[in-house]
Amino acid sequence: MPPVAESSLEVRGDFPILSRRPNGRPLIYLDSASTSQKPQSVIDALATHLSEHNANVHRGVYPLAQDADAAFEGARTRIAAFTNAPADTTIFTKNVTEAINLIAYSWARANIGPGDAVLITQAEHHANIVPWQVLCRERGAELRYLQIDGHGELAPEQLQRELARGDVRLVAFTHVSNVLGTINPVEQICAEIRAAGAISVVDGAQAVPQMPVNVSRIGADFYAWTGHKALGPTGIGVLHGRRELLETMEPFLTGGDMIASVQEQDATWNDLPWKFEAGTPAVAEAVGLGAAVDYLTAIGMDRVREHERSLTSYLLDGLARVPGLRVVGPPGADGRGGLASFTIEGLHPHDIAEIVGRDGVCIRAGHHCAQPLMRCLGVGSTARASVSVYNSPADIDALIESLSTARELFKLPAA
Ligand SMILES: Cc1ncc(COP(=O)(O)O)c(C=O)c1O
C-alpha cells in the first residue's frame, strides 16, 4: 500500500449532508466537480438572509431594504476580493454558462464578423463551445480548435501558430479541465493572446473552488466562474470583465435595474456592474456565495490546493492498482486539479458509477458535457472522481475497494 496521504482538513463535520448514511453506510461524496456540498455557514447565511434581511435590492429606502442592499453588495465586495478583482467589474450571473453567453452576445456579436476566427480548445465544456458555435454561425466567422496532446495538455507552439494567422479575435479556454484535470498556464496564455490583439475568455468553473485565483494577475479580458462548485448555492455565477470592454459593451439582458433612465422610445444604461444585471438578482444566493468564499478564505486557498493535490496524488496511486483501469489527463497530481477521469476495460462507466453508488460512493459517469473531448480521447464516456475540502484518504480507499467489487461482480480477470 502507498503511504496514506497526510492531507485531511478535518472539515467533514461542517457539511451536514455528509452525516447522511445511505443504506446504513457513510456518504462518500466524490462528485464535487459536478457540484460541491455546502457547509453549515452557507446554509445559515441563506436562512438568515431569508428570515431576517429579505427585501428587494437597489430600490427601497426603508431600513430592511437597506439591510438587503448591504448584504448583497457586501457579498459582491468579498467575492471580488476573493479572486482579487474590482467589485464594480464583478458581475453576478446565473452561472458560468450565462456569463459566457453574456460575452458572446454583448461583446462578440458586436466585434466578430466574416473573416474573423474564434479559437477554443478540444478540452472545453459545452458551456464554452456551444455559445461560440452559435456566434460563428450567425456572424459568418470560423470556429477553430487547439488540440490537446496525449497527456491532455496544450502545445504552446500551436497557440502561437494560430495567433500568427492574424484573424483570431477571441480565444476562450478553460483554466482547469473538468475531464482531464489539466491546469492550463492561464497567465502566460492570456499574455500571448493580448500581445496578438485578441480577447481572452477564461472558464474558471473548476479552478476557483480549488486553488488561489488572482484575476488581476492572470490578466484575462473575461474570467467566469460558478458559485455552486465553490461551496455556494446554485443560481449564482460570476463574470469578471476588463473595465474598458464592459464600458463599451451593450447590455446582454434589458429591463429593470440595469437602466439609468427610460424614455418612451429609448433608455440609457446604469453604471457597472448593474448594467449587466437586469431584473431582480439572485440576492440570497449572492449572500450564500459570500459566505462560501468566507469559509474558503478561512481555510486558506493555498491549503485547499495542497489538500486536493495530495488527495489527487493518493487517488491516482489507488486507481493505478485497479487492473484494466486507464486514467486520462496529465500523469501526476502537480499539473492537475482535484479529479481523475477513468475507464475500466470490460465495464461501462455508467455501470461503474451505479455499482459504487450502492456502496454510498458518489462519482460521475458520462460525457461530462465535453463530447468533442470524448471523441478526441476515443471514448464515449468516462467515470470521474473529484475531491473537495471535505474529502479524506478514507473516501479514496472506499472508492478503490468499491471498484474491486464492481470488477468482481462483472467477473473481470484479477490482473
Ligand atoms: C469547466 C466547466 N465549465 C463550465 C461548466 C458549467 O457550469 P454551470 O452549469 O454552473 O454553468 C462546468 C460545469 O460542469 C465546468 O466544469
Side-chain angles (χ1 to χ4, degrees):
M1 287 280 287
V4 170
E6 278 168 26
S7 180
S8 182
L9 292 173
E10 310 284 353
V11 297
R12 187 178 166 95
D14 294 346
F15 293 78
I17 202 168
L18 299 179
S19 62
R20 289 199 53 207
R21 294 182 64 84
N23 301 324
R25 291 161 174 270
L27 181 66
I28 309 294
Y29 191 74
L30 291 169
D31 195 19
S32 300
S34 183
T35 198
S36 62
Q37 296 303 346
K38 320 301 172 198
Q40 188 64 50
S41 61
V42 169
I43 299 167
D44 288 346
L46 281 165
T48 306
H49 182 80
L50 292 174
S51 54
E52 293 178 27
H53 307 293
N54 181 56
N56 213 329
V57 289
H58 305 150
R59 57 202 85 194
V61 290
Y62 47 87
L64 186 65
Q66 287 167 355
D67 259 17
D69 279 352
F72 181 63
E73 292 302 336
R76 189 196 310 273
T77 304
R78 295 186 338 272
I79 291 163
F82 181 65
T83 46
N84 195 29
D88 64 341
T89 55
T90 294
I91 296 157
F92 285 133
T93 61
K94 191 167 65 176
N95 45 39
V96 66
T97 302
E98 189 182 80
I100 294 171
N101 274 277
L102 188 161
I103 306 162
Y105 278 89
S106 290
W107 186 85
R109 271 171 180 69
N111 289 285
I112 291 180
D116 292 336
V118 169
L119 192 57
I120 62 175
T121 86
Q122 287 177 325
E124 298 310 311
H125 187 282
H126 295 163
N128 205 19
I129 300 176
V130 184
W132 307 120
Q133 289 178 340
V134 174
L135 167 92
C136 288
R137 196 177 316 130
E138 220 177 279
R139 303 288 303 143
E142 190 186 357
L143 180 62
R144 294 204 295 265
Y145 285 77
L146 292 171
Q147 289 173 7
I148 49 149
D149 65 18
H151 286 154
E153 284 160 3
L154 293 169
E157 319 77 65
Q158 213 189 147
L159 173 65
Q160 287 148 14
R161 257 199 321 274
E162 281 292 341
L163 292 173
R165 291 173 68 171
D167 59 352
V168 175
R169 300 280 286 132
L170 181 146
V171 185
F173 65 101
T174 192
H175 190 162
V176 176
S177 160
N178 65 315
V179 175
L180 305 160
T182 315
I183 302 173
N184 283 316
V186 267
E187 216 175 309
Q188 185 193 323
I189 296 177
C190 287
E192 288 180 28
I193 295 168
R194 195 170 336 113
I199 293 294
S200 53
V201 176
V202 180
D203 173 355
Q206 296 293 343
V208 172
Q210 55 168 313
M211 59 183 62
V213 169
N214 185 330
V215 165
S216 302
R217 189 178 313 140
I218 289 170
D221 292 298
F222 296 101
Y223 190 103
W225 54 287
T226 205
H228 67 95
K229 295 185 200 285
L231 312 186
T234 51
I236 186 85
V238 180
L239 174 63
H240 304 288
R242 190 179 290 285
R243 186 184 310 279
E244 307 86 271
L245 297 177
L246 293 175
E247 276 171 351
T248 58
M249 282 158 59
E250 288 295 306
F252 172 38
L253 300 171
T254 55
D257 223 23
M258 51 70 67
I259 51 85
S261 73
V262 180
Q263 292 77 41
E264 280 68 15
Q265 302 295 330
D266 213 350
T268 56
W269 314 140
N270 202 343
D271 293 334
L272 294 176
W274 308 291
K275 172 176 146 183
F276 292 102
E277 294 178 359
T280 300
V283 180
E285 290 77 2
V287 169
L289 183 57
V293 303
D294 292 346
Y295 182 87
L296 286 167
T297 304
I299 297 175
M301 289 310 292
D302 285 320
R303 280 181 73 210
V304 170
R305 168 61 189 151
E306 179 44 30
H307 166 74
E308 297 195 14
R309 193 206 58 74
S310 162
L311 270 188
T312 305
S313 170
Y314 189 64
L315 170 65
L316 292 173
D317 286 346
L319 293 174
R321 296 197 305 275
V322 178
L325 189 147
R326 177 173 84 99
V327 175
V328 298
D334 289 350
R336 72 157 69 216
L339 64 88
S341 298
F342 57 91
T343 55
I344 298 180
E345 208 182 330
L347 266 180
H348 192 281
H350 281 122
D351 289 330
I352 301 174
E354 205 269 316
I355 295 165
V356 304
R358 293 181 206 167
D359 292 336
V361 180
C362 309
I363 61 168
R364 172 99 182 257
H367 54 62
H368 313 291
C369 298
Q371 287 182 350
L373 176 58
M374 292 294 124
R375 280 191 285 277
C376 296
L377 296 171
V379 295
S381 59
T382 69
R384 180 187 69 189
S386 51
V387 298
S388 183
V389 290
Y390 33 75
N391 293 116
S392 68
D395 296 339
I396 309 292
D397 294 340
L399 168 67
I400 304 300
E401 195 183 317
S402 203
L403 289 176
S404 300
T405 312
R407 292 189 79 265
E408 278 161 25
L409 258 175
F410 275 77
K411 301 191 170 28
L412 298 182

